[in-house]
Amino acid sequence: METVDLVRIRPLRDHLRRPGPGGAKRAKTCCKTSGSVAIFAPIRRAFIRNGVKKRGSSEIGGQQVINSASQGLLNGLPQHFLASLFSRATAVRLKADEALFLAGDTGEGCYRVEDGLLKVTMVSRAGSERILAFLGTGAIVGELSLIDGLPRSASVVAVRAAQLSFLSRAAFEEFANKHPEVYKSLLTLIATRLRETDATVAAGSFLPLRGRVACTLLELAQDFGQDVGAGRIVIRQKIGQSDLAAMAGIARENVSRILNDWKRRKLVSRLSGYYCIEDKAQLQFEAEL
């Protein structure tokens, strides 16, 4: 697979500052958006009612790791389709704080995360950030442009250095023309996305602040959680309170107050910078409409 560096990295506006790994201040960044107000974060799997193990999870060393390989529309395709598609991909590298693309950019293809961490974000004209998702290894981002060819609906920025595989729209269309059955799979996946959108709208309209924070933690646990036993799930990404607030769509002060209360009640804890879910059932109860 050919390797190139991403050269079209645009500097982001300077009214956002996000804490980087190790607590160091990162460069001031912001992503433009085509709308005036950021929408409620799509909590795709917030209403988790069953056990920890879901599609996209794996076992490592006898412990269950829930990874982000299930994120993205194309991830629902059969594995032999994905293997063939990305066999012709181009490697792309990003440094921390560099933008992969910005909202409104032309959609030229999609990317699969091979290593690192990205965030999907929108920013209002007033400068308020809404983090729609964090994407880790195996996640695919930007795939909607493969289908409709429209501009990017959100911005994607590297939280830390990342390696990705780029699949162009032309390569996807060439593959789909040879394998038209891929469109049937996509229709099924799009229908699933529409159903999830209904839950997202309901969550944004009816959930109290505690419910939104619970949904955010449950989503992060679904994507990055590791079940270490005794009912504890460690979120294997260092996510700060500001990022949790940006995902939940509430003020950081409210997130801090809610988390402190949950720590006292032993619903959550924090170890070496990693959030841990100690009582998943109670968080699920908090997330119920």
Side-chain angles (χ1 to χ4, degrees), residues 264-281:
R264 287 192 296 269
R265 295 166 55 194
K266 300 187 184 304
L267 272 64
V268 301
S269 62
R270 198 173 190 189
L271 302 174
S272 302
Y274 296 97
Y275 281 104
C276 305
I277 294 178
E278 305 289 352
D279 191 339
K280 182 182 177 184

Side-chain angles (χ1 to χ4, degrees), residues 72-283:
L73 190 62
L74 292 184
N75 282 109
L77 293 176
Q79 285 301 311
H80 66 279
F81 280 157
L82 286 177
S84 297
L85 273 172
F86 282 92
S87 65
R88 62 195 71 190
T90 301
V92 173
R93 294 189 181 93
L94 285 176
K95 296 179 181 179
D97 301 316
E98 288 184 332
L100 181 61
F101 53 75
L102 302 179
D105 282 356
T106 301
E108 300 168 344
C110 70
Y111 301 81
R112 183 171 64 186
V113 183
E114 306 298 344
D115 187 38
L117 185 68
L118 308 178
K119 66 176 179 179
V120 184
T121 182
M122 299 183 74
V123 178
S124 71
R125 291 178 181 174
S128 299
E129 183 187 28
R130 177 63 57 81
I131 297 176
L132 306 183
F134 285 99
L135 304 176
T137 301
I140 296 177
V141 62
E143 72 273 30
L144 289 180
S145 68
L146 296 177
I147 301 171
D148 58 20
L150 296 178
R152 304 295 188 184
S153 59
S155 302
V156 176
V157 180
V159 177
R160 61 171 184 259
Q163 297 182 23
L164 307 99
S165 296
F166 172 71
L167 176 68
S168 69
R169 190 180 183 205
F172 173 80
E173 290 179 343
E174 179 183 352
F175 178 86
N177 287 335
K178 296 178 180 178
H179 305 277
E181 61 270 26
V182 73
Y183 289 115
K184 183 178 180 180
S185 296
L186 283 176
L187 282 176
T188 301
L189 296 170
I190 290 172
T192 301
R193 280 286 185 89
L194 289 174
R195 292 181 182 275
E196 291 171 346
T197 299
D198 291 341
T200 298
V201 172
S205 300
F206 303 121
L207 276 180
L209 300 185
R210 288 175 175 270
R212 295 188 185 190
V213 177
C215 284
T216 299
L217 288 173
L218 289 169
E219 181 180 11
L220 289 170
Q222 175 68 11
D223 290 336
F224 304 110
Q226 180 177 356
D227 187 340
V228 295
R232 171 178 287 174
I233 301 173
V234 180
I235 298 173
R236 290 296 186 185
Q237 296 289 348
K238 290 188 175 181
I239 308 295
Q241 285 189 4
S242 296
D243 290 328
L244 290 177
M247 288 189 75
I250 66 177
R252 182 184 181 278
E253 293 76 11
N254 289 327
V255 171
S256 178
R257 175 176 52 80
I258 292 168
L259 289 177
N260 286 335
D261 176 58
W262 286 350
K263 288 176 183 177
R264 287 192 296 269
R265 295 166 55 194
K266 300 187 184 304
L267 272 64
V268 301
S269 62
R270 198 173 190 189
L271 302 174
S272 302
Y274 296 97
Y275 281 104
C276 305
I277 294 178
E278 305 289 352
D279 191 339
K280 182 182 177 184
Q282 185 59 39
L283 284 186

Side-chain angles (χ1 to χ4, degrees), residues 15-32:
H15 59 262
L16 275 181
R17 185 191 298 266
R18 309 237 55 86
K25 291 293 184 181
R26 294 170 50 192
K28 296 180 180 179
T29 61
C30 171
C31 303
K32 71 179 183 181

